[in-house]
Amino acid sequence: MHYVERGNPYALLFHKGIDFVRGRNGAEGIRGNKKRMAHCNGEHRGSKFALARKGADLFQVFHGKIGGIPVNDLYSTTEGKTSEKQSDEAKLGAQWKSIDWRRAEREVNRLQVRIVKATQQNDYNAVKRLQYLLTHSFYAKALAVKRVVTNDGRKTPGVDGVLWNTPAKKMKAVLSLTDKGYRARPLRRVYIEKKDKKKKRPLGIPTMYDRAMQALYALALEPVAETTADGKTFGFRKGRCAQDACEYLFTALSRKHISPKWILEGDIKGCFDHISHDWLLANIPMDKSILKQFLKAGFIYQRELFPTEEGTPQGGIISPLLANVVLNELDHWIESQWQCNPVTDNYSRRENAAGCPIQSHA
């Protein structure tokens, strides 16, 4: 039986009529042959009101429990679990609202600048270390979650049906992002109509957690991709848009006597759907185990699981970045097959210098 003296923050502990400090019959206590005396001023020494020792289990000084219920909850009008849950949600919501987003962007940008410098020096060991620091940074995780909960798809759940629609859930997501034991869940496959076409485009919708993980690792991969990218690519790049591509074309075509006479337009059929997984795993400078989870997650359509053997999912946050890295390697291959005129900045076949197409992605 346990006793708590009202008005006294200390706990008194008894077990089967014998206190843990000393037996009532004056014999030694149950902890050993040596008599154990309570730490007190002598007023209650040897009595049932002796203070419990520091090592006593079940009761803790100032934080006692009776029957597994906190002492304070015995004298409250609400249940302890409910109040603690509400208190935790309030604390998490307050933490999310108190995040300094400008500081978060500065800290992440500082690491990204270091990644760019290491990439320019071809020091990929340093790139790997800096990417690890960034993906384990609190501010990077916060920005990744913010990107997920502020884009157009924030109200579209994945296969688990989970949405991060409260500040507490957003903060809890920030604290839960980790690469330890990470396994990506299958995508939810939907089909959307193409403009002026009868065919529909397949779209894979990841879960909120997988989207945040993709956004987190995109922050680490983007500096490398931007540093090694071709200067004449404009699609899915930060700070660039279709208008920039139009301006580049206008400048290239408006020069007298040296402007190209031919423009070749090409379209890659099913670009996202047919990118080689083996090539991505061998050439993308990021954590291979995480990348493999992104690529091999599979998708669920009409309650049936299908594996993914090639391609990157349309709808994933990191998919456009991966496609840009692949297209950048395509640019390098074109440069190996064509020669560039330094005056006109145009490409021509090495065997036949007559053709002068402009190569640009938009």
Side-chain angles (χ1 to χ4, degrees), residues 52-88:
R53 291 182 62 85
K54 184 178 180 180
D57 49 356
L58 302 179
F59 261 65
Q60 297 177 357
V61 179
F62 295 105
H63 299 282
K65 290 186 178 181
I66 297 179
I69 303 175
V71 176
N72 293 336
D73 289 347
L74 294 177
Y75 305 102
S76 62
T77 56
T78 59
E79 295 184 2
K81 293 183 179 180
T82 303
S83 61
E84 288 179 3
K85 184 177 180 180
Q86 293 176 350
S87 177
D88 292 342

Side-chain angles (χ1 to χ4, degrees), residues 144-165 170 188 190 203-212 314-317:
V145 173
K146 183 182 178 182
R147 179 177 179 180
V148 171
V149 299
T150 55
N151 62 12
D152 295 336
R154 62 184 180 275
K155 297 181 180 180
T156 305
V159 294
D160 57 356
V162 175
L163 291 176
W164 296 340
N165 48 14
K170 297 172 186 177
R188 184 166 67 90
V190 296
L203 189 66
I205 303 176
T207 63
M208 300 290 284
Y209 190 92
D210 292 334
R211 286 180 236 175
Q314 296 191 46
I317 291 179

Side-chain angles (χ1 to χ4, degrees), residues 23-24 47-48 69 89 109 116 148 185 191 202 216 270 289 293 322 331 344 355:
R24 288 187 177 181
S47 69
K48 67 177 183 179
I69 303 175
E89 291 182 355
N109 183 69
V116 169
V148 171
R185 294 193 176 187
Y191 289 88
L216 177 62
S289 61
Q293 289 295 321
L322 297 177
D331 295 341
T344 61

Side-chain angles (χ1 to χ4, degrees), residues 166-184:
T166 63
K169 292 180 179 179
K170 297 172 186 177
M171 190 64 206
K172 188 176 180 180
V174 173
L175 300 177
S176 65
L177 286 183
T178 180
D179 59 342
K180 295 181 180 180
Y182 171 69
R183 292 184 61 86

Side-chain angles (χ1 to χ4, degrees), residues 292-325:
K292 188 174 182 179
Q293 289 295 321
F294 294 158
L295 298 176
K296 302 293 186 179
F299 64 91
I300 293 179
Y301 180 65
Q302 294 181 349
R303 298 185 177 182
E304 186 176 355
L305 177 63
F306 297 89
T308 50
E309 301 297 337
E310 62 178 359
T312 59
Q314 296 191 46
I317 291 179
I318 202 172
S319 295
L321 188 57
L322 297 177
N324 270 347
V325 176

